[in-house]
């Protein structure tokens, strides 16, 4: 069975929790139960430490599939990110206080990479299961886009992960219920399904 | 135990389903299980037939508590409606083709009624359970506001239901997943909780 | 010619400016130029002082028409408010630090008053002039709804102003340009038109 | 003086008008008045004809600077697009009925190009003038992204235009006033300023 990596992020800014980390943990457990060599990690919301953590994870695990998850507070549905751009433009400081503006992630890298996840198949399966989802054309310019670009840059340079991409998830209802508004949300189980389905379809798309 | 009525609406416009009816049915079943003399009904999305249906229900059941539910496609959370206004202003035809513009619901009635549900207690309990909810200051000018006004008008003239109000609910994820966007949603179980908690708190607020 | 009053509000919260006050001043100047006995005032964002200021203005001027303007940051168009409710529910403190929750504006007053401005005619004229506008069913529960309710309560008790209502306006582009987002906006000239057209149509609707 | 090209688009879908074309015409007139060798064109909302039209324009004019404008109905401010991606994914048919899904614009081209306009300087000047504006990270996957990618692809292959990019503009108030909502808008003069400032700053950034 393929080696797969699912990541989430630690809390950042004013948020005390980050459901992307919970979803990564639960998705990895489900995938392990289904026979995958499944690993999960929580990435730091720090440009410096996230870069190091991802490099170490990818070198240690050499995963066939890597799916990174991140929180996009305020979105209404699961967003399957299509493209990562070679840019850091932080509207606020990361958890180490760094705030790059209009800087490349990798000065030697191309302007962008497209996700190598089979987005249409993932989208169809999620919709079929009743999970609100759509393809998104921007992962922003903060840590989420950064992690996605680094996964795909690593794949371009080293050949693995053979399938990689990023999924933005909304708040869970429990988090949203404590916020003014309250903002949109989806149950944690649906965020987990997004990660599991993405990994399953990515693995199924690998030629043996 | 008090007699309680929970209503939802039939589908309208382009919608093929209306989760408010599903939530009403399930809430009534739960309330019956908890010992209430619980009734539920699906109201027609027709000014004429909704008025008749509500009048018959209220005369037949003489409920202590009545909570009407309706779908507000596009909202992110459960909205506890605070006020019903004496106005019909339909942006689109109802299911019978009627489209009143700027007409009073009851020419003899006051401009508005406030909900007689204990909104703050309901809100606190829902938030405590992790159900995203807020108090709303407008139920619109279509069938939802209409049903809410009629419940409160009836209570004003006849003395029952002693507690009455309206709750707007979002799409469920399963419905949202089939729509472009997709729009915000909450699980059906949370919509049911909104109705159950509203009835429970309304009943608890009744002096014996 | 009729005596008319146009009011705006002072800045509140984090805002340093309030375009409703600028629009009120300019509208009154235009109306005076057109022959009206036109007055304008800036209302304090304080439940206590706003109540006093309005009472004094109305007693001193005994206006035939009163149109109050207020800022609704984030809205995209001119909102002609349809109804004022007898409720103060402040999500944040007013400029004096008062923050009433679920209190009536006037314990002797009715639940709500409808605007006595000819909203449909105002709406048609504004649209015809290319000013984005719509009728709104909630003026909120802060100072704007408060001022609208007090105008209509005064009219109910004393007989003047014979036509009264409230208009919410968006940011101007110059204010929006300095905010993150940036949020929606309309040029100040369009906010002035909203006030002028509202007064003109209200005056035209008075029977001599 | 530099040769500059400003383009807009023809109406598409349900829209009867496209303010991007009006803004392009007026911006070119202003730039010509300021001494530029200024040209403007209205691009067809057709993948096939837009590609041909742009190729002919760029070969005939060999512009130093090219700024394409497009309408983004529903946005609140001027959006300075940062990146164009090598993808066509049309949510609806173009004006010729073509609807590519997940196809590259140029199978030989890179995944993306960054705008070569000096976005930060343009943004600062627009904000300073009171024009609501922001940098955007996605021009979508329809004709707007397509035109931006083709401009930058041409520049990459042929060396001109030396500065090129895309600006999304909102509705004008006059268009918004006729739509339900109404949606956000900015005055046409502000859309013209966006184009003029973009060309001026792009020209100023050229080394002679």
């Amino acid at each position: 069975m393929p080696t797969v990596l699912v990541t989430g992020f630690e809390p950042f800014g004013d948020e005390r929790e980050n459901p992307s980390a919970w979803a990564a943990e639960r998705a990895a457990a489900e995938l392990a139960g289904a026979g995958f060599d499944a690993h999960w990690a929580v990435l730091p919301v720090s440009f410096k430490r996230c870069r190091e953590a991802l490099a170490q994870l990818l070198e240690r695990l050499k995963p066939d599939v890597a799916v990174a998850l991140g929180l996009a507070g305020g979105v209404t549905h699961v967003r399957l990110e299509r493209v990562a751009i070679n840019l850091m433009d932080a509207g606020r400081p990361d958890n180490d206080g760094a705030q790059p503006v209009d800087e490349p992630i990798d000065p030697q890298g191309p302007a962008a990479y497209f996700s190598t996840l089979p987005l249409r198949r993932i989208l169809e399966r999620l919709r079929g299961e009743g999970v609100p989802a759509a393809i998104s054309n921007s992962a922003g310019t903060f840590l989420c886009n950064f992690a996605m670009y680094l996964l795909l840059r690593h794949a371009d340079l080293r050949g693995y992960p053979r399938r990689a991409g990023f999924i933005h998830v909304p708040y869970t209802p429990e988090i949203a219920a404590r916020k003014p508004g309250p903002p949109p949300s989806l149950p944690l189980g649906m965020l987990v399904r997004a990660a599991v389905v993405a990994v399953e379809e990515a693995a199924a798309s690998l030629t043996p």
Side-chain angles (χ1 to χ4, degrees), chain A residues 27-52:
Chain A
E30 279 195 30
L31 289 162
F36 285 93
D37 177 22
H39 303 263
W40 72 283
V42 177
L43 299 175
V45 178
S46 149
F47 287 101
K48 181 168 181 298
R49 290 183 291 122
C50 178
R51 190 191 291 263
E52 295 163 358

Side-chain angles (χ1 to χ4, degrees), chain A residues 89-159:
Chain A
D89 186 18
R92 66 214 137 169
D94 70 15
N95 284 350
D96 288 346
Q99 189 170 3
V101 174
D102 291 0
E103 294 178 24
I105 295 170
D106 182 339
Q108 267 68 53
Y113 284 110
F114 286 109
S115 174
T116 52
L117 301 176
L119 299 185
R120 292 282 164 195
R121 297 202 49 174
I122 298 167
L123 181 60
E124 274 169 40
R125 269 194 63 198
L126 290 176
R127 283 187 178 161
E129 293 188 12
V131 178
I135 294 174
S136 163
N137 296 308
S138 173
T141 57
F142 197 52
L143 264 292
C144 291
N145 173 74
F146 180 76
M148 180 176 175
Y149 188 89
L150 287 177
L151 285 177
L152 292 158
R153 180 70 180 147
H154 196 276
D156 188 21
L157 294 174
R158 308 292 174 88

